[in-house]
Amino acid sequence: MTNSPLATKKTIGLTSDNIAGVSPQILQHLIEFSAGDATPYGNDELSLELDRKMSALFETDVAVVLVPTGTAANSLCLAAMSPAWGAVLCHPNSHINNDECGAPEFFSNGVKLLTIDGDDCKIDPEKLIQRATLKIGDVHTVQPAVVSVTQATETGSVYTLDELRAIGDVCKSHNLKYHMDGARFANAVDALGCTPAEMTWKAGVDALFLWCH
């Protein structure tokens, strides 16, 4: 068995980038940029340069907050967008509802996830209106605070620009924040043939989780 090719074959994990080691290029850059002093708390030149480049890409002023995982990004973002008595409206198949192990609720001190169904893993705007207007002002129930969409969705479908704007209109009409889980953001931009700006703030999106490789 020790002479078998299978004995020395390296197993490749395709479950997540989180399981992989640091590439030599990234490690070399970390070494290079660790030399010398830098202003802390996001005020260093590299962080400011990232803000400038992302602002240019999105055609508006952008503040970038770097975190190590997608779960951290979604959870911290939603916590900042909703009070503890608020509700995040999302699709039943969304990543925040199915795959983040209660982290959005934990980091937000109890925000409740409420699901809104729709075909192709996309929130139906009409159903969203119904849920967004239910029991408003009732002190005995959580109050809608944020709408979260995934682009592209967990099944690979893509919200059209019109669909994103329709949800954005609902958010604006009902004083809701608009969050986009952009784990497959670049795929959706390519599929729609649009700009990042058109798919986010021009459609009403307030905050974006962008997964960078």
Side-chain angles (χ1 to χ4, degrees):
M1 291 295 294
T2 56
N3 294 325
S4 170
L6 295 177
T8 57
K9 185 176 180 180
K10 185 177 180 180
T11 301
I12 299 175
L14 300 176
T15 56
S16 172
D17 285 353
N18 296 335
I19 68 173
V22 178
S23 69
Q25 295 90 339
I26 292 177
L27 188 58
Q28 183 59 41
H29 281 300
L30 286 173
I31 294 171
E32 291 175 3
F33 292 122
S34 292
D37 298 329
T39 307
Y41 308 119
N43 293 312
D44 60 282
E45 184 52 37
L46 285 175
S47 296
L48 296 175
E49 179 63 17
L50 180 59
D51 283 352
R52 289 192 289 268
K53 288 187 175 182
M54 295 300 285
S55 295
L57 177 65
F58 283 88
E59 305 170 44
T60 191
D61 289 336
V62 171
V64 180
V65 179
L66 298 172
V67 294
T69 69
T71 296
N74 280 327
S75 300
L76 295 174
C77 189
L78 293 172
M81 299 175 78
S82 175
W85 61 88
V88 175
L89 310 181
C90 59
H91 194 276
N93 293 332
S94 65
H95 198 80
I96 60 172
N97 188 51
N98 283 329
D99 302 293
E100 296 189 338
C101 202
E105 295 95 329
F106 175 81
F107 283 100
S108 59
N109 292 317
V111 161
K112 188 175 181 65
L113 300 183
L114 299 178
T115 58
I116 312 294
D117 210 349
D119 295 336
D120 299 324
C121 207
K122 297 186 284 187
I123 293 175
D124 184 309
E126 293 300 320
K127 293 180 180 178
L128 175 60
I129 293 173
Q130 295 173 15
R131 192 61 189 84
T133 55
L134 185 64
K135 294 187 177 181
I136 298 300
D138 186 341
V139 297
H140 300 288
T141 189
V142 291
Q143 298 295 294
V146 183
V147 176
S148 178
V149 298
T150 309
Q151 181 75 331
T153 73
E154 284 71 19
T155 59
S157 60
V158 176
Y159 286 90
T160 66
L161 295 182
D162 286 341
E163 289 171 333
L164 291 173
R165 284 191 288 261
I167 293 174
D169 289 342
V170 174
C171 291
K172 185 176 181 181
S173 298
H174 296 87
N175 196 30
L176 303 173
K177 296 295 184 182
Y178 195 177
H179 165 262
M180 178 179 285
D181 181 337
R184 292 159 292 277
F185 185 85
N187 302 74
V189 168
D190 184 66
L192 294 177
C194 66
T195 66
E198 290 170 328
M199 207 171 73
T200 52
W201 65 272
K202 288 186 177 181
V205 174
D206 297 300
L208 167 71
F209 150 46
L210 182 62
W211 182 257
C212 297
H213 298 275

PDB file of all heavy atoms in Angstrom, residues 109-125:
ATOM      1  N   ASN A 109     -28.017  40.737  19.108  1.00  0.00           N
ATOM      2  CA  ASN A 109     -28.712  40.718  20.403  1.00  0.00           C
ATOM      3  C   ASN A 109     -30.177  40.308  20.283  1.00  0.00           C
ATOM      4  O   ASN A 109     -31.014  40.758  21.059  1.00  0.00           O
ATOM      5  CB  ASN A 109     -28.610  42.076  21.112  1.00  0.00           C
ATOM      6  CG  ASN A 109     -27.201  42.392  21.559  1.00  0.00           C
ATOM      7  OD1 ASN A 109     -26.502  41.535  22.092  1.00  0.00           O
ATOM      8  ND2 ASN A 109     -26.758  43.615  21.324  1.00  0.00           N
ATOM      9  N   GLY A 110     -30.479  39.461  19.294  1.00  0.00           N
ATOM     10  CA  GLY A 110     -31.817  38.889  19.244  1.00  0.00           C
ATOM     11  C   GLY A 110     -32.675  39.242  18.054  1.00  0.00           C
ATOM     12  O   GLY A 110     -33.874  38.942  18.053  1.00  0.00           O
ATOM     13  N   VAL A 111     -32.124  39.896  17.036  1.00  0.00           N
ATOM     14  CA  VAL A 111     -32.911  40.183  15.840  1.00  0.00           C
ATOM     15  C   VAL A 111     -33.504  38.883  15.286  1.00  0.00           C
ATOM     16  O   VAL A 111     -32.839  37.854  15.247  1.00  0.00           O
ATOM     17  CB  VAL A 111     -32.031  40.865  14.767  1.00  0.00           C
ATOM     18  CG1 VAL A 111     -32.672  40.762  13.382  1.00  0.00           C
ATOM     19  CG2 VAL A 111     -31.821  42.325  15.107  1.00  0.00           C
ATOM     20  N   LYS A 112     -34.755  38.935  14.868  1.00  0.00           N
ATOM     21  CA  LYS A 112     -35.445  37.744  14.383  1.00  0.00           C
ATOM     22  C   LYS A 112     -35.424  37.706  12.854  1.00  0.00           C
ATOM     23  O   LYS A 112     -35.661  38.730  12.200  1.00  0.00           O
ATOM     24  CB  LYS A 112     -36.896  37.748  14.875  1.00  0.00           C
ATOM     25  CG  LYS A 112     -37.675  36.467  14.593  1.00  0.00           C
ATOM     26  CD  LYS A 112     -39.048  36.530  15.239  1.00  0.00           C
ATOM     27  CE  LYS A 112     -39.849  35.249  14.991  1.00  0.00           C
ATOM     28  NZ  LYS A 112     -39.235  34.082  15.647  1.00  0.00           N
ATOM     29  N   LEU A 113     -35.138  36.536  12.301  1.00  0.00           N
ATOM     30  CA  LEU A 113     -35.195  36.351  10.853  1.00  0.00           C
ATOM     31  C   LEU A 113     -36.598  35.878  10.479  1.00  0.00           C
ATOM     32  O   LEU A 113     -37.074  34.865  10.982  1.00  0.00           O
ATOM     33  CB  LEU A 113     -34.165  35.321  10.393  1.00  0.00           C
ATOM     34  CG  LEU A 113     -32.696  35.634  10.681  1.00  0.00           C
ATOM     35  CD1 LEU A 113     -31.807  34.549  10.084  1.00  0.00           C
ATOM     36  CD2 LEU A 113     -32.301  36.995  10.146  1.00  0.00           C
ATOM     37  N   LEU A 114     -37.267  36.618   9.614  1.00  0.00           N
ATOM     38  CA  LEU A 114     -38.588  36.257   9.113  1.00  0.00           C
ATOM     39  C   LEU A 114     -38.483  35.986   7.620  1.00  0.00           C
ATOM     40  O   LEU A 114     -37.899  36.794   6.892  1.00  0.00           O
ATOM     41  CB  LEU A 114     -39.587  37.383   9.377  1.00  0.00           C
ATOM     42  CG  LEU A 114     -39.818  37.763  10.844  1.00  0.00           C
ATOM     43  CD1 LEU A 114     -40.790  38.930  10.938  1.00  0.00           C
ATOM     44  CD2 LEU A 114     -40.335  36.573  11.631  1.00  0.00           C
ATOM     45  N   THR A 115     -39.021  34.879   7.165  1.00  0.00           N
ATOM     46  CA  THR A 115     -38.827  34.480   5.774  1.00  0.00           C
ATOM     47  C   THR A 115     -39.983  34.904   4.880  1.00  0.00           C
ATOM     48  O   THR A 115     -41.155  34.856   5.274  1.00  0.00           O
ATOM     49  CB  THR A 115     -38.616  32.959   5.665  1.00  0.00           C
ATOM     50  OG1 THR A 115     -39.748  32.272   6.217  1.00  0.00           O
ATOM     51  CG2 THR A 115     -37.367  32.536   6.420  1.00  0.00           C
ATOM     52  N   ILE A 116     -39.628  35.323   3.681  1.00  0.00           N
ATOM     53  CA  ILE A 116     -40.580  35.724   2.635  1.00  0.00           C
ATOM     54  C   ILE A 116     -40.326  34.831   1.434  1.00  0.00           C
ATOM     55  O   ILE A 116     -39.229  34.847   0.860  1.00  0.00           O
ATOM     56  CB  ILE A 116     -40.396  37.198   2.218  1.00  0.00           C
ATOM     57  CG1 ILE A 116     -40.304  38.108   3.446  1.00  0.00           C
ATOM     58  CG2 ILE A 116     -41.502  37.612   1.270  1.00  0.00           C
ATOM     59  CD1 ILE A 116     -41.545  38.182   4.263  1.00  0.00           C
ATOM     60  N   ASP A 117     -41.302  34.064   1.025  1.00  0.00           N
ATOM     61  CA  ASP A 117     -41.120  33.114  -0.065  1.00  0.00           C
ATOM     62  C   ASP A 117     -41.128  33.816  -1.424  1.00  0.00           C
ATOM     63  O   ASP A 117     -41.442  35.001  -1.535  1.00  0.00           O
ATOM     64  CB  ASP A 117     -42.220  32.055  -0.023  1.00  0.00           C
ATOM     65  CG  ASP A 117     -41.760  30.713  -0.558  1.00  0.00           C
ATOM     66  OD1 ASP A 117     -40.665  30.662  -1.150  1.00  0.00           O
ATOM     67  OD2 ASP A 117     -42.493  29.728  -0.406  1.00  0.00           O
ATOM     68  N   GLY A 118     -40.777  33.056  -2.441  1.00  0.00           N
ATOM     69  CA  GLY A 118     -40.771  33.554  -3.806  1.00  0.00           C
ATOM     70  C   GLY A 118     -40.136  32.535  -4.722  1.00  0.00           C
ATOM     71  O   GLY A 118     -39.350  31.694  -4.278  1.00  0.00           O
ATOM     72  N   ASP A 119     -40.487  32.578  -5.989  1.00  0.00           N
ATOM     73  CA  ASP A 119     -39.959  31.617  -6.950  1.00  0.00           C
ATOM     74  C   ASP A 119     -38.462  31.813  -7.155  1.00  0.00           C
ATOM     75  O   ASP A 119     -37.934  32.920  -7.009  1.00  0.00           O
ATOM     76  CB  ASP A 119     -40.679  31.766  -8.292  1.00  0.00           C
ATOM     77  CG  ASP A 119     -42.151  31.408  -8.210  1.00  0.00           C
ATOM     78  OD1 ASP A 119     -42.517  30.640  -7.285  1.00  0.00           O
ATOM     79  OD2 ASP A 119     -42.937  31.895  -9.045  1.00  0.00           O
ATOM     80  N   ASP A 120     -37.780  30.725  -7.526  1.00  0.00           N
ATOM     81  CA  ASP A 120     -36.362  30.754  -7.888  1.00  0.00           C
ATOM     82  C   ASP A 120     -35.478  31.297  -6.773  1.00  0.00           C
ATOM     83  O   ASP A 120     -34.448  31.923  -7.025  1.00  0.00           O
ATOM     84  CB  ASP A 120     -36.139  31.571  -9.166  1.00  0.00           C
ATOM     85  CG  ASP A 120     -36.871  30.985 -10.359  1.00  0.00           C
ATOM     86  OD1 ASP A 120     -36.962  29.756 -10.452  1.00  0.00           O
ATOM     87  OD2 ASP A 120     -37.371  31.780 -11.185  1.00  0.00           O
ATOM     88  N   CYS A 121     -35.889  31.076  -5.537  1.00  0.00           N
ATOM     89  CA  CYS A 121     -35.090  31.481  -4.378  1.00  0.00           C
ATOM     90  C   CYS A 121     -35.003  33.005  -4.245  1.00  0.00           C
ATOM     91  O   CYS A 121     -34.069  33.524  -3.611  1.00  0.00           O
ATOM     92  CB  CYS A 121     -33.690  30.871  -4.466  1.00  0.00           C
ATOM     93  SG  CYS A 121     -32.886  30.606  -2.868  1.00  0.00           S
ATOM     94  N   LYS A 122     -35.968  33.730  -4.825  1.00  0.00           N
ATOM     95  CA  LYS A 122     -35.974  35.183  -4.780  1.00  0.00           C
ATOM     96  C   LYS A 122     -37.216  35.690  -4.039  1.00  0.00           C
ATOM     97  O   LYS A 122     -38.311  35.149  -4.211  1.00  0.00           O
ATOM     98  CB  LYS A 122     -35.935  35.772  -6.201  1.00  0.00           C
ATOM     99  CG  LYS A 122     -34.670  35.427  -6.961  1.00  0.00           C
ATOM    100  CD  LYS A 122     -34.586  36.146  -8.297  1.00  0.00           C
ATOM    101  CE  LYS A 122     -35.502  35.527  -9.339  1.00  0.00           C
ATOM    102  NZ  LYS A 122     -35.286  36.126 -10.683  1.00  0.00           N
ATOM    103  N   ILE A 123     -37.043  36.722  -3.236  1.00  0.00           N
ATOM    104  CA  ILE A 123     -38.157  37.304  -2.486  1.00  0.00           C
ATOM    105  C   ILE A 123     -39.186  37.888  -3.434  1.00  0.00           C
ATOM    106  O   ILE A 123     -38.853  38.645  -4.351  1.00  0.00           O
ATOM    107  CB  ILE A 123     -37.645  38.397  -1.532  1.00  0.00           C
ATOM    108  CG1 ILE A 123     -36.783  37.775  -0.422  1.00  0.00           C
ATOM    109  CG2 ILE A 123     -38.803  39.181  -0.925  1.00  0.00           C
ATOM    110  CD1 ILE A 123     -36.141  38.801   0.491  1.00  0.00           C
ATOM    111  N   ASP A 124     -40.453  37.561  -3.217  1.00  0.00           N
ATOM    112  CA  ASP A 124     -41.557  38.104  -3.998  1.00  0.00           C
ATOM    113  C   ASP A 124     -41.915  39.486  -3.437  1.00  0.00           C
ATOM    114  O   ASP A 124     -42.284  39.599  -2.265  1.00  0.00           O
ATOM    115  CB  ASP A 124     -42.763  37.177  -3.907  1.00  0.00           C
ATOM    116  CG  ASP A 124     -43.925  37.626  -4.771  1.00  0.00           C
ATOM    117  OD1 ASP A 124     -44.319  38.816  -4.677  1.00  0.00           O
ATOM    118  OD2 ASP A 124     -44.453  36.807  -5.534  1.00  0.00           O
ATOM    119  N   PRO A 125     -41.811  40.564  -4.234  1.00  0.00           N
ATOM    120  CA  PRO A 125     -42.081  41.915  -3.723  1.00  0.00           C
ATOM    121  C   PRO A 125     -43.481  42.088  -3.147  1.00  0.00           C
ATOM    122  O   PRO A 125     -43.656  42.807  -2.155  1.00  0.00           O
ATOM    123  CB  PRO A 125     -41.871  42.805  -4.951  1.00  0.00           C
ATOM    124  CG  PRO A 125     -40.936  42.040  -5.812  1.00  0.00           C
ATOM    125  CD  PRO A 125     -41.326  40.606  -5.627  1.00  0.00           C
TER     126      PRO A 125
END
